[in-house]
């Protein structure tokens, strides 16, 4: 238990990791959100927001307040909490922005409780942030942001999250174009059913993804990111998607698709040199085709997840 103040960083995530729609996600090093929290003599939650990007509407960022309040309601710790969200991540990005805010908040509040819960037991609170943000519960961002690594949501009812074995050699190139796609909108275009042939292809790819992560096999992971369920209907929400993917593959990527519900895209590389070349090609293509500036992040899998950076 920490009685004074605490600062927590929660990282961005690649939801779905391509073929693992709603069931596989990985944490990356940056960007991420930061929460600073401390105990207060005044009961209840005192929430404030510091926004570093013009693109972040403050009203979408209070998932952190929501999940913190849920924890206070359940645990009634006998003191209040001052909580400030330093919103570093863009919303509607496909980088798990709402999950990072929720995760940073639950980890911070937890550390201030007289009897903190285990990390994994915080997931159910973080998921309420996802419900608030997108209207549905999906754990493929919150689980890796909270727990680090590559996480598999084997089941939602009951919730069963499995840390996948990872040989952490692959480089993940994440490109965030300055476009916004709301997860809620990207979920509304999904098909209600999946043809059997697509399902067979998809679960072959999910198995390939799991095996490729364990082996650190960039080629296997790259080809297993193929997503025949969500990507076909979501690609049209991201201006330049096909051209950017072609550019990534041309530059040497082993695979490239949407990160989460987009518009961010990720590509798979086996060396830093190749990753940099792929990132440059993807950024240039977003600028040319979609007239969109873009940020690039190159990372191995972040095995730590949310981190207490000061206490
Ligand atoms: N699995 C979620 C989706 C991730 O694809 O809708 C959202 O970032």
């Amino acid at each position: 238990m920490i009685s004074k103040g605490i600062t927590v960083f929660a990282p961005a995530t690649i939801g779905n990791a391509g073929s693992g729609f709603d069931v596989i996600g990985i944490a990356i090093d940056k960007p991420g959100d930061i929460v600073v929290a401390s105990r207060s003599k005044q009961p209840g939650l005192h929430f404030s927001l510091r926004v570093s990007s013009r693109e972040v509407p403050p009203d979408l960022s209070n998932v952190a307040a929501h999940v913190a309040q849920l924890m206070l309601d359940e645990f009634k710790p006998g003191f209040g909490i001052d909580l400030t969200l330093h919103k570093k991540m863009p919303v509607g990005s496909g980088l798990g922005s709402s999950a990072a805010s929720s995760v940073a908040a639950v980890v911070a509040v937890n550390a201030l409780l007289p009897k903190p819960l285990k990390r994994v037991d915080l997931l159910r609170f973080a998921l309420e942030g996802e419900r608030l943000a997108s209207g549905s519960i999906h754990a493929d961002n919150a689980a890796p942001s909270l727990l680090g690594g590559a996480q598999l949501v084997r089941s939602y009812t009951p919730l069963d999250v499995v840390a996948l074995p990872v040989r952490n050699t692959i480089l993940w190139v994440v490109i965030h174009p300055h476009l916004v796609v709301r997860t809620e909108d990207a979920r509304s275009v999904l098909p209600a059913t999946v043809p059997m042939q697509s399902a067979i292809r998809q679960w072959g790819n999910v198995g390939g993804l799991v095996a490729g992560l364990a082996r650190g096999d960039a080629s296997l992971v790259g080809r297993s990111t193929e997503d025949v369920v969500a990507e076909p209907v979501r690609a049209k929400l991201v201006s330049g998607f096909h051209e950017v993917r072609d550019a990534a593959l041309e530059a040497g990527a082993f695979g490239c698709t949407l990160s989460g519900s987009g518009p961010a895209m990720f590509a798979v590389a086996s060396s830093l040199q190749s990753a940099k070349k792929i990132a440059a090609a993807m950024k240039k293509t977003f600028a040319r085709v979609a007239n969109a500036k873009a940020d690039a992040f190159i990372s191995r899998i972040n095995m730590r997840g949310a981190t207490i950076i000061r206490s």
Side-chain angles (χ1 to χ4, degrees), residues 265-295:
M265 294 174 66
F266 75 95
V268 177
S270 58
S271 74
L272 187 57
Q273 192 188 14
S274 167
K276 285 181 178 167
K277 191 173 160 203
I278 293 162
M282 292 172 76
K283 277 179 76 165
K284 200 168 145 195
T285 309
F286 262 127
R288 181 174 56 80
V289 179
N291 197 23
K293 284 191 182 158
D295 306 309

Side-chain angles (χ1 to χ4, degrees), residues 58-117:
D59 56 332
L60 283 182
S61 302
N62 58 22
V63 290
H66 179 63
V67 297
Q69 186 65 58
L70 289 177
M71 290 182 75
L72 286 183
D73 290 346
E74 183 162 327
F75 300 112
K76 300 181 179 53
F79 50 82
I81 287 186
D82 292 327
L83 188 143
T84 303
L85 169 63
H86 294 259
K87 187 69 195 159
K88 306 279 186 191
M89 292 180 62
V91 300
S93 60
L95 296 170
S97 172
S98 54
S101 297
S102 300
V103 165
V106 298
V107 172
V109 171
N110 188 54
L112 298 171
L113 293 177
K115 285 187 190 163
L117 278 67

